Amino acid sequence: MENKDAILKESISYVEEILKDKLDNIVVERAVFGLFFSGVKLNNGYGGLCFTPIKEIPEAVCCPSSAKAMPLSGRLSNRSARKYLDDIFSGNILKRTLGIATLNALSSMCWDLMPEKDYEIKVGVDAFDELEIDPAKNSAVVGALVPMLKKLISANAPFKVFEMDSKTLKGEELNHFLTPDKAPEYLSSADLVVITGVTILNDTLEGLLADIKEGAEVLVTGPTAGMLPDAFFKRGVTMIGGVLVTKPDELLDIISEGGSGYHFFGKYAERIVVRKNRK
């Protein structure tokens, strides 16, 4: 079994290696929790997003317990980026959320500083559109990724979807539903695996990747996944779908008002695809 949060720890190490002492001068200028997404803006103009884990905040039911859930409220601005990165491993899900958003913002900075990369980055592209569905091969989807489910159903392809809450699925989607405990057996036979980036947030991604057979096409996608891809590729991921923030202040305004991707894609942020180079 791999160490807890291995992908995140390695990703931070890659960021530190690229940014070096530049990291010491970077602070989070602004941080926002939204209904669907949470995000940060760095003092150098870069921004980053993460999924907001609403269902994983049972403490947030009254004022005293909510204060315990996010003890840094009112003190989120002008904290060092390093402290936000440390928060990823604090055990507090809300601190972790903003920490991952900070890691994603720093990753955007790294990409601009890297003269060469061992992978291809496409901007303004939906990761699902980059996948080829073979109706003769098994596919697996981890999370209620509705656009992907519709694509598989339309192609009449055999697949299973693993999701904690079956209520997030509808109609034909439910015919392919399996509980997450059934995932290991099915993942080992799937040729295409699509995984929600929320698995990074809840620390289940490494376990899932360990069950996937060698040579499978593996996509990890969502705003949480918008970070340097090296640690993912090392574990068999072939493609990442993330979000590149282009106008952080406007984006944070939108998500603070409960906005979703429909409100900001093409305006204040772009979908990106990071694909491992085929040798």
Side-chain angles (χ1 to χ4, degrees), residues 2 33 39 52 69-70 80-81 90 96 128 145 151 156 169 189-190 195 197 201 211 220 243 277:
E2 198 166 21
F33 286 110
T52 301
M70 193 56 205
S80 74
S90 68
R96 182 177 175 89
F128 298 140
L145 299 169
K151 184 168 182 167
N156 199 28
L169 305 174
S189 66
I195 304 175
L201 191 56
D211 292 324
V220 178
V243 177
N277 288 335

Side-chain angles (χ1 to χ4, degrees), residues 198-256:
V198 179
T199 56
I200 303 167
L201 191 56
N202 63 24
D203 194 34
T204 58
L205 179 58
E206 282 94 344
L208 291 165
L209 295 177
D211 292 324
I212 297 171
K213 72 176 184 181
E214 187 174 352
E217 176 88 355
V218 183
L219 166 65
V220 178
T221 188
T224 309
M227 62 190 71
L228 296 180
D230 307 71
F232 296 82
F233 292 162
K234 178 180 172 183
R235 291 164 175 80
V237 175
T238 55
M239 185 164 60
I240 288 175
V243 177
L244 180 70
V245 177
T246 53
K247 294 183 178 180
D249 278 318
E250 292 86 344
L251 178 63
L252 294 185
D253 287 343
I254 288 290
I255 65 174
S256 72

Side-chain angles (χ1 to χ4, degrees), residues 28 30-34 37-41 48-50 98 101 252 255:
V28 171
R30 186 181 175 195
V32 167
F33 286 110
F37 303 113
S38 296
V40 301
K41 177 192 176 185
L49 286 180
C50 182
L98 291 183
L252 294 185
I255 65 174

Side-chain angles (χ1 to χ4, degrees), residues 137-148:
K137 295 182 178 180
N138 288 332
S139 296
V141 180
V142 179
L145 299 169
V146 174
M148 190 66 218

